Amino acid sequence: MAKGVKPRVKVPKTAAAGETITIKTLISHKMETGRRKDGDGNVIPRSIINRFTCAFNGKNVVDVNMEPAISVNPYFQFEATVPEAGEFVFTWYDDDGSVYEKKKSIKIA
Amino acid sequence: MNFTRRETMAVSGAALVASVLPIKLMASTTDLISGITGGTEASGDGISLTAPEIAENGNTVPISIDAPGAVAITVLAAGNPTPGVAKFNFGAGSGSQSCTTRIRLAGTQDVIAVAEMADGSFSAAHQTVKVTIGGCGG
C-alpha cells in the first residue's frame, strides 16, 4: 500500500429529489508514472491509481480508467442525479492491489 | 542533482534528437481519433473540451470535458510518451456527461477528447496546449 493515501470527497449534505449535484473528489497519491529515474539512473517503478468509480445506491455514476498521464493527487469533478436519499460509494483502485473506499450519505431536503 | 560530464552530454544529445524529430515522434491527432472510433468518422458536434491555451506547468493541466448524451469519453494527449490519459464511463446515476480533472503533459501538444454517444456514433474535439515545463520526468 502506497504511503499517505487519503481520499477526500465533497458531496452536499442534502438535495431536492431529482436534483443534479456536483461532486468533487481528491485522493492524495504520488502517481509515479514509471518513466522517472532516481539519482542513480534507475527507473522508479510505476505506481498509480488506475481506476476510480462512484456509485449511488448501487447505480454506477462514473467509472474512470486512469493512465499515468493523470496528475499527482487525482482530482475529479462530475455531476450526479439524486432521485432519493441514499449513499454514494467512492472507490479507488491502486496498482499494488489496494482499494480505497469512502462513503457519503445524502438526505432529501 | 549532480551531473557528470558524460551524463550532461547524453542528456543534451537526447534533447537535440528530440528537438529534430518532434513531428515523427508525435502520433497524429487524426490517427489517434480513428484508433478510438475504429475508423468511423467522428463529428465535431456535441462535445466541448476546455483546456488552457498556455500551461506553465505540464504536471497539472486542468481540463474539462462536456458531452451531453455520451456513454463514454476518452481523453488522449498526442505528444505524451503514452497517449492514453483516461476513459470516463458514465452510468445511470450520472447527472450530466461532464467531468473535470488534471492531467500531465510532456510538452506542447494536442489534447484530444473522443465521446462515444448512446447511438454508437462518435464526436471528437481537440485543443492545442502550450506547455512551458513538461510533466513526465525522464
Side-chain angles (χ1 to χ4, degrees):
Chain A
M1 184 165 163
K3 276 180 289 178
V5 176
K6 188 185 173 203
R8 270 166 283 189
V9 173
K10 205 167 187 179
V11 178
K13 286 193 175 63
T14 58
E19 194 188 339
T20 300
I21 58 159
T22 302
I23 298 173
K24 293 175 182 176
T25 72
L26 183 79
I27 184 164
S28 39
H29 193 282
K30 59 188 175 2
M31 296 292 277
E32 195 60 62
T33 59
R35 305 196 70 87
R36 291 203 310 149
K37 288 174 181 167
D38 63 14
D40 304 326
N42 305 314
V43 172
I44 306 169
R46 176 181 133 156
S47 166
I48 65 163
I49 290 175
N50 54 45
R51 187 166 170 229
F52 163 69
T53 63
C54 168
F56 180 66
N57 289 349
K59 252 189 335 193
N60 179 39
V61 175
V62 71
D63 183 340
V64 189
N65 292 313
M66 292 149 77
E67 304 276 342
I70 295 288
S71 295
V72 171
N73 304 338
Y75 164 83
F76 290 107
Q77 181 188 321
F78 52 91
E79 291 184 335
T81 27
V82 186
E84 71 266 331
E87 192 178 51
F88 282 100
V89 180
F90 304 89
T91 324
W92 291 263
Y93 299 86
D94 199 307
D95 263 358
D96 63 10
S98 318
V99 174
Y100 316 107
E101 201 175 75
K102 184 115 181 159
K103 290 176 181 170
K104 285 270 178 185
S105 51
I106 187 163
K107 289 193 191 86
I108 295 296
Chain B
M1 220 168 23
N2 292 317
F3 283 112
T4 61
R5 184 180 171 276
R6 185 170 294 177
E7 280 169 350
T8 314
M9 295 296 281
V11 168
S12 55
L16 187 69
V17 171
S19 63
V20 173
L21 293 171
I23 310 297
K24 274 192 180 168
L25 290 174
M26 219 179 260
S28 104
T29 303
T30 41
D31 283 358
L32 284 169
I33 294 174
S34 59
I36 300 291
T37 61
T40 321
E41 192 76 17
S43 73
D45 308 330
I47 180 165
S48 68
L49 168 69
T50 314
E53 269 178 42
I54 298 176
E56 295 209 341
N57 182 357
N59 271 313
T60 51
V61 182
I63 58 158
S64 8
I65 314 118
D66 188 9
V71 289
I73 300 175
T74 308
V75 183
L76 303 162
N80 273 5
T82 49
V85 173
K87 186 176 183 198
F88 302 92
N89 300 296
F90 296 100
S94 64
S96 71
Q97 285 68 41
S98 66
C99 196
T100 302
T101 187
R102 297 173 188 151
I103 67 171
R104 284 182 176 128
L105 297 175
T108 300
Q109 57 178 284
D110 255 358
V111 176
I112 308 158
V114 183
E116 190 186 345
M117 298 301 177
D119 61 4
S121 66
F122 290 92
S123 282
H126 59 96
Q127 195 191 327
T128 307
V129 180
K130 266 184 116 152
V131 177
T132 321
I133 305 165
C136 282

